[in-house]
């Protein structure tokens, strides 16, 4: 594509120790909306997701199931790949850390770090949490009333003593602080940025980057006894996928540095501290931005396998509908905050906002057009002030929504669109086209035209959130698929009167809960 506007967005790569749940779907959904939005906005987009397949945690899960790690990862990775289809995610690439391209890339990065004098051999003794795949200092641990120590995340820790290579993280403190200072948008949201800068200001210890007590991972080049620390391995996926170690040509030259790494708040430190330090130490550019989103709880409770309250995205989609679930997840909670998942809240939004506000608007308008305007885009006369206000609101959507999307404020982007939907409903009520039908049919046509044109804008703007339903809505307005990107917004590409329209059909049915025991 001949465009200078490029956008590279990544999801974390998911551990293959478990089946995908709502948390995973959420991270990828946010990226999918960004990727789709940017494509509609004329960018050449690369959207990457994948699976994190090495390390002790995955090895342990495979051993527990008595399967060799490769067979195990092959099958679990497929579940994550399948989720892409289920959720209609538009990824351009799916990386697995067990692929050859990745091994080459990680080993090349290691060599760069070694050659730059950033890695040395020593020995590690300290605490390690397999669940987090993270090392913890004594001072970070929490001791319960029985004297048991756990990681701050609640994960069990074990004492580790073994030879290890270290990355000289301690020498990157000032350079990282300067980098955060020079790049105020690098960490979002703001509160998270403060968290990271105060962590780094508190001093950094050298980081153990190899282990000798398990085998499932990428060997250190020239020292097979050592397996690379799984986070060094995993983070590198973001450059593997753009062709590293080749940096001068190809996708690396086109897309790196990434525009955005989307992560959950639990893994921000790895992305905002270790990763830019590794990259700068290797003479490579750090990514432009890392956004840490919050966590979902389920009806007030922490989501965990042991509590048996894991939310399966496939079940949700089957019960409530794909776009309804996509909408809810990004609408319910300001992005960056924690949120509580409840079916009642989901149904409330489906019926209130999707069925009533948006569904009714389009169904009302399009049925009137179908019945009273010979099933074609109405003709219009002079626009009144009220018409111009309505059309102006529709035309203004792109700029304000774009601003929210660039700040990853998904709920505000949606709210901005909803203001126009609510204004359209108020406009229908005020103009009462059903009354105009007898009194002033020409005016009725103008009103319906204004509404149809407003719905076109709303549907185009909502495509990244609800691609399937908006496709149907735009089909009903007879907008050809090539005319659905943002360059076709505005009056220049307005609906053409007389264009034949298909028979309208409702796109957002009300959700009626089955009675207990029915
Ligand atoms: N493998 C690492 C990431 C390596 S990236 C170089 C990892 N994987 S994970 O599968 O455990 O988590 C992936 C993502 O899912 C994280 O961003 C995490 O925050 C997110 N979520 C897991 N549970 C979640 C919720 N309950 N709610 C929202 N997101 C959550 O970490």
């Amino acid at each position: 594509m001949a465009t200078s506007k490029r956008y590279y967005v990544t999801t974390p790569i998911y551990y293959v120790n478990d089946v995908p749940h709502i948390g995973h779907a959420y991270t990828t959904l946010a990226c999918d909306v960004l990727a789709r939005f940017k494509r509609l906005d004329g960018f050449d987009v690369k959207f990457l997701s994948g699976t994190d397949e090495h390390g002790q945690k995955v090895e342990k899960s495979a051993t527990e199931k008595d399967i060799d790690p490769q067979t195990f990862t092959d099958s679990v990775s497929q579940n994550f790949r399948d989720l892409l289809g289920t959720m209609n995610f538009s990824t351009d690439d799916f990386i697995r850390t067990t692929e050859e391209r990745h091994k080459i890339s990680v080993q090349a990065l290691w060599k760069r770090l070694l050659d730059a004098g950033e890695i040395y051999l020593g020995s590690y003794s300290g605490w390690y949490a397999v669940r987090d795949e993270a090392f913890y200092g004594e001072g970070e641990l929490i001791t319960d009333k029985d004297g048991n120590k756990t990681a701050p995340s609640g994960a069990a820790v074990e004492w580790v003593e073994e030879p290890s290579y270290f990355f000289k993280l301690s020498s990157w403190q000032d350079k990282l602080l300067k980098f955060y200072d020079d790049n105020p948008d690098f960490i979002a949201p703001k509160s998270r940025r403060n968290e990271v800068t105060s962590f780094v200001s508190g001093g950094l210890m050298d980081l153990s980057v190899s282990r000798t007590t398990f085998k499932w991972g990428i060997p250190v080049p020239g020292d097979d006894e050592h397996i690379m620390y799984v986070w060094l391995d995993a983070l590198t996926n973001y450059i593997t996928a753009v062709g590293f170690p080749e940096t001068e040509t190809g996708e690396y030259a086109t897309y790196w540095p990434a525009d955005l790494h989307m992560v959950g708040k639990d893994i921000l430190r790895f992305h905002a501290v270790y990763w830019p330090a590794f990259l700068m130490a290797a003479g490579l550019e750090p990514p432009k931005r890392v956004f840490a989103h919050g966590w979902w709880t389920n009806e007030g409770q922490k989501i965990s396998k042991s509590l048996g309250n894991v939310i399966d995205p496939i079940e949700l989609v089957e019960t409530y509908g794909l776009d309804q679930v996509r909408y809810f997840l990004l609408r319910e909670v300001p992005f960056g905050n924690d949120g509580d998942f409840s079916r009642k809240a989901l149904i409330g939004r489906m019926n209130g906002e999707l069925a009533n506000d948006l569904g009714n608007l389009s169904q009302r308008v399009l049925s009137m057009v179908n019945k009273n305007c010979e099933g074609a885009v109405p003709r219009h006369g002079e626009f009144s002030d009220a018409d111009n206000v309505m059309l102006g609101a529709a035309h203004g959507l792109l700029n304000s929504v774009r601003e929210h999307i660039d700040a990853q404020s998904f709920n505000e982007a949606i709210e901005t669109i909803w203001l126009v939907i609510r204004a359209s409903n108020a406009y229908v009520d005020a103009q009462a086209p059903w009354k105009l039908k007898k009194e002033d049919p020409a005016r009725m046509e103008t009103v319906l035209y204004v509404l149809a044109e407003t719905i076109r804008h709303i549907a185009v703007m909502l495509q990244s959130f609800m691609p399937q339903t908006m496709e149907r809505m735009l089909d009903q307005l007879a907008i050809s698929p090539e005319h659905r990107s943002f360059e076709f917004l505005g009056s220049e590409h307005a609906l053409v009167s007389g264009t034949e329209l298909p028979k309208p059909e409702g796109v957002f049915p009300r959700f009626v809960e089955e009675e207990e025991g029915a």
Side-chain angles (χ1 to χ4, degrees), residues 41-106:
D41 210 7
F43 284 72
D44 167 7
V45 171
K46 182 170 171 88
F47 170 19
L48 174 71
S49 189
T51 41
D52 188 352
E53 307 194 359
H54 289 135
Q56 242 179 313
K57 172 164 158 152
V58 172
E59 189 183 65
K60 202 166 147 238
S61 298
T63 313
E64 278 165 12
K65 295 203 162 54
D66 213 8
I67 310 176
D68 75 280
Q70 188 63 58
T71 314
F72 176 69
T73 55
D74 284 348
S75 91
V76 186
S77 177
Q78 190 56 42
N79 295 334
F80 282 90
R81 218 183 257 268
D82 293 345
L83 184 69
L84 302 177
T86 308
M87 296 292 297
N88 197 9
F89 292 149
S90 61
T91 38
D92 299 296
D93 193 358
F94 187 89
I95 186 165
R96 300 183 55 189
T97 53
T98 45
E99 288 172 55
E100 191 60 21
R101 62 170 168 163
H102 185 62
K103 182 176 172 190
I104 293 168
S105 162
V106 176

Side-chain angles (χ1 to χ4, degrees), residues 146-168:
D146 305 322
N148 298 318
K149 290 176 194 298
T150 58
S153 60
V157 288
E158 59 189 46
W159 183 256
V160 173
E161 268 186 46
E162 55 186 321
S164 172
Y165 285 93
F166 284 85
F167 171 70
K168 289 182 184 166

Side-chain angles (χ1 to χ4, degrees), residues 31 76 115 134 138 152 199 220 245 262 299 333 414-415 418 459-460:
C31 297
V76 186
D115 292 348
E138 184 76 44
F199 169 73
V220 164
M262 180 65 76
E299 316 268 351
V333 183
I414 293 177
E415 185 53 33
W418 242 259
V460 167

